């Protein structure tokens, strides 16, 4: 591998912005001889797409996605990644010391060590793992690192992760190597600018398509609108898109799904309150994970508070007072749902809000329908 430098010039045609992320990764790779770099972001914030760009720019990167069904257990990870390492770095390996029938953590560590010792001075071995929150720990020894990732790293070896928000005391990793966490929520202005640029490109693509007398990208309410008109239009429940996005609407998954749904004629001018099928499925996955093995009465009451009206961020104490429950029980629920929440800290006070306006609206509608079904069954 050559010396790495991730830059905007290598981005794919449909990728927008995220320069602050690439800059941070570049600085980390050049500052430290090895280490762990973690990108943290709420669902739909673009983490996976960022990782895809890193791989696109350098095909020697080892990539693993723990979110893919059947890929969240340590056995699958070690087998897949060890095979990738052997295939891409075969010329650097001493095969006599490797057991090709048993890809366990010791073989993984040996591969990393051998590759590290034989890499050219300016080269780096980078392993990307997407979706750390999806890892199933049932098949690992208690207290071990996620996927048995090494506590100590050989030189020129780097791991880059993407994961949803998590409690800092529950990283799942005990490491003795340089590390850095980049939380996308700390870059609200940059995120909003990137979303605005994404929308601008969609509008430009539609205009160019129409001018070529081809099937336009969108036979939609915003067809022919200027950017300002589009930004102020009520395309979404309670919000417009573009420059009037508030801090909770800078979500790439949401924007992409909604624009695509408009382009495919999912919405018409008289009905913009439905959710595209892609978002419905995405939110349903959230809901199933939030339920876990069961859903307590306290959890139900907490969720009703979080989905009520145009709710502002609330502390666990304030929520506990509304539902008349112990604050520690409320805190336990919030910690279980942390990957779907936004945290707002002011001094020692922490307030919570569901990570995204669209998800809150979906949950509110979901609860309304559920109550109607339950009422109908009881009567």
């Amino acid at each position: 591998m050559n010396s790495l430098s991730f830059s905007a010039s290598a981005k794919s045609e449909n990728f927008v912005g995220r320069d602050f992320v690439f800059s941070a990764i570049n600085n980390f790779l050049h500052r430290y001889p090895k280490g762990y770099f973690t990108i943290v972001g709420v669902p739909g914030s673009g983490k996976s797409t960022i990782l895809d760009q890193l791989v696109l720019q350098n095909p020697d990167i080892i990539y693993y996605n723990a979110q893919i069904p059947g890929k969240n257990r340590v056995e699958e990870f070690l087998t897949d990644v060890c095979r990738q390492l052997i295939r891409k770095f075969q010329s650097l390996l001493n095969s006599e010391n490797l057991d090709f029938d048993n890809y366990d953590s010791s073989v993984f560590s040996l591969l990393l060590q051998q590759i590290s010792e034989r890499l050219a001075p300016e080269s780096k071995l980078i392993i990307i793992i997407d979706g750390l929150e999806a890892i199933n720990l049932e098949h690992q020894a208690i207290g071990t690192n996620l996927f048995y990732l090494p506590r100590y790293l050989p030189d020129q070896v780097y791991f880059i992760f993407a994961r949803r928000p998590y409690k800092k005391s529950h990283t799942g990793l005990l490491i003795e190597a340089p590390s850095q966490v980049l939380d996308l929520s700390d870059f609200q202005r940059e995120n909003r600018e990137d979303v605005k640029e994404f929308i601008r490109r969609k509008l430009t693509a539609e205009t160019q398509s129409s001018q070529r007398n081809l099937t336009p990208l969108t036979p939609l309410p915003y067809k022919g609108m200027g950017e300002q008109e589009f930004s102020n239009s009520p395309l979404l429940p309670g919000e417009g898109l573009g420059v009037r996005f508030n801090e909770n609407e800078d979500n790439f998954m949401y924007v992409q799904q909604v624009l695509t749904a408009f382009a495919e004629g999912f919405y018409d001018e008289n009905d913009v309150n439905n959710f595209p099928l892609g978002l419905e499925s995405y939110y349903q996955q959230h809901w199933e994970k939030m339920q876990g093995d069961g859903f307590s009465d306290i959890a139900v009451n907490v969720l009703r508070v979080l989905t009520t009206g145009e709710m502002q961020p609330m502390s666990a104490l304030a929520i506990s007072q509304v539902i008349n429950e112990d604050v520690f029980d409320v805190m336990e629920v919030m910690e279980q749902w942390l990957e779907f929440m936004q945290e707002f800290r002011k001094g020692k006070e922490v307030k919570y809000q569901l990570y995204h306006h669209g998800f809150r609206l979906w949950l509110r509608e979901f609860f309304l329908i559920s109550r109607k079904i339950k009422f109908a069954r009881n009567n």
Side-chain angles (χ1 to χ4, degrees):
M1 294 176 62
N2 296 323
S3 181
L4 299 176
S5 181
F6 303 113
S7 65
S9 61
K11 294 174 187 174
S12 63
E13 181 179 352
N14 296 322
F15 189 82
V16 173
R18 324 315 272 165
D19 294 330
F20 65 96
V21 181
F22 292 116
S23 177
I25 295 174
N26 280 331
N27 291 339
F28 183 82
L29 294 175
H30 289 91
R31 180 177 181 181
Y32 299 106
K34 54 191 171 185
Y36 288 91
F37 188 97
T38 303
I39 301 170
V40 176
V42 297
S45 56
K47 304 181 298 297
S48 295
T49 307
I50 292 169
L51 297 186
D52 289 343
Q53 289 301 307
L54 300 182
V55 177
L56 177 67
Q57 294 183 37
N58 197 307
D60 285 329
I61 285 177
I62 304 298
Y63 174 81
Y64 192 84
N65 189 347
Q67 300 176 98
I68 297 175
K71 293 289 188 179
N72 67 344
R73 300 198 312 177
V74 65
E75 295 88 351
E76 287 84 1
F77 168 77
L78 291 173
T79 298
D80 187 294
V81 171
C82 285
R83 286 175 175 171
Q84 287 191 61
L85 289 169
I86 292 170
R87 183 172 64 250
K88 294 187 178 185
F89 298 95
Q90 189 169 15
S91 62
L92 302 180
L93 299 173
N94 180 3
S95 59
E96 295 181 359
N97 297 328
L98 298 174
D99 181 358
F100 293 107
D101 296 322
N102 183 25
Y103 297 109
D104 58 16
S105 58
S106 61
V107 172
F108 181 44
S109 296
L110 182 58
L111 285 171
L112 297 181
Q113 188 63 48
Q114 286 193 12
I115 294 170
S116 168
E117 291 172 353
R118 295 167 174 80
L119 278 176
E122 73 280 2
S123 298
K124 305 178 190 300
L125 167 58
I126 296 179
I127 299 176
I128 284 176
I129 306 177
D130 193 4
L132 261 64
E133 72 281 346
I135 294 176
N136 185 338
L137 297 176
E138 291 182 1
H139 297 267
Q140 293 189 213
I142 296 176
T144 57
N145 277 347
L146 299 171
F147 279 162
Y148 290 139
L149 294 172
R151 180 174 179 176
Y152 304 96
L153 290 179
D155 287 342
Q156 297 171 261
V157 175
Y158 300 83
F159 283 85
I160 299 178
F161 305 137
R163 67 189 303 174
R164 293 174 180 174
Y166 60 96
K167 189 176 180 180
K168 298 305 181 283
S169 60
H170 290 68
T171 64
L173 295 171
L174 176 62
I175 56 177
E176 299 290 340
S179 64
Q180 180 177 335
V181 175
L182 184 146
D183 192 330
L184 295 176
S185 68
D186 294 333
F187 297 86
Q188 294 289 345
R189 180 182 61 82
E190 291 85 350
N191 290 327
R192 290 196 297 273
E193 288 300 318
D194 288 344
V195 169
K196 287 160 58 179
E197 177 59 25
F198 179 77
I199 294 171
R200 277 194 290 268
R201 290 191 186 186
K202 286 290 187 181
L203 291 173
T204 300
E206 183 212 338
T207 301
Q208 292 175 346
S209 178
S210 299
Q211 289 174 346
R212 290 194 300 267
N213 295 318
L214 300 176
T215 301
L217 178 66
T218 54
L220 310 171
Y222 69 72
K223 179 182 177 183
M225 286 184 181
E227 181 184 336
Q228 189 63 39
E229 291 178 282
F230 175 69
S231 301
N232 295 332
S233 64
L235 296 180
L236 305 177
E239 294 293 340
L241 289 177
V243 297
R244 293 187 69 185
F245 260 61
N246 63 30
E247 290 185 356
N248 302 316
E249 293 290 23
D250 51 357
N251 190 281
F252 277 90
M253 169 70 78
Y254 186 57
V255 174
Q256 183 180 28
Q257 289 288 334
V258 169
L259 289 182
T260 300
F262 269 102
E264 295 175 351
F266 180 85
Y267 293 128
D268 61 39
E269 295 184 50
N270 300 314
D271 183 11
V272 296
N273 292 313
N274 291 325
F275 289 90
L277 294 179
L279 274 181
E280 288 271 10
S281 176
Y282 193 57
Y283 291 159
Q284 184 67 37
Q285 293 174 23
H286 295 351
W287 170 243
E288 291 173 0
K289 189 168 184 180
M290 289 175 74
Q291 292 182 89
D293 296 329
F295 216 54
S296 67
D297 291 339
I298 293 177
V300 171
N301 290 330
V302 169
L303 202 53
R304 283 177 176 153
V305 172
L306 293 174
T307 58
T308 299
E310 298 298 325
M311 195 208 81
Q312 297 299 311
M314 294 180 67
S315 67
L317 177 60
I319 294 173
S320 70
Q321 292 171 344
V322 172
I323 65 176
N324 195 27
E325 297 286 355
D326 191 283
V327 65
F328 294 104
D329 292 333
V330 173
M331 276 300 307
E332 184 177 0
V333 171
M334 304 303 285
E335 288 178 4
Q336 292 173 352
W337 293 347
L338 204 54
E339 65 184 271
F340 305 110
M341 307 298 295
Q342 281 187 313
E343 285 187 322
F344 301 87
R345 295 180 177 273
K346 186 175 182 180
K348 294 183 177 180
E349 185 181 44
V350 182
K351 294 184 178 181
Y352 301 91
Q353 187 177 52
L354 286 166
Y355 84 94
H356 174 53
H357 180 66
F359 183 47
R360 183 179 65 79
L361 292 175
W362 183 86
L363 279 174
R364 187 168 68 188
E365 184 68 18
F366 182 88
F367 263 112
L368 180 61
I369 294 174
S370 298
R371 285 197 294 270
K372 288 181 178 178
I373 293 175
K374 184 176 180 180
F375 178 80
R377 287 176 176 174
N378 294 335
N379 292 274

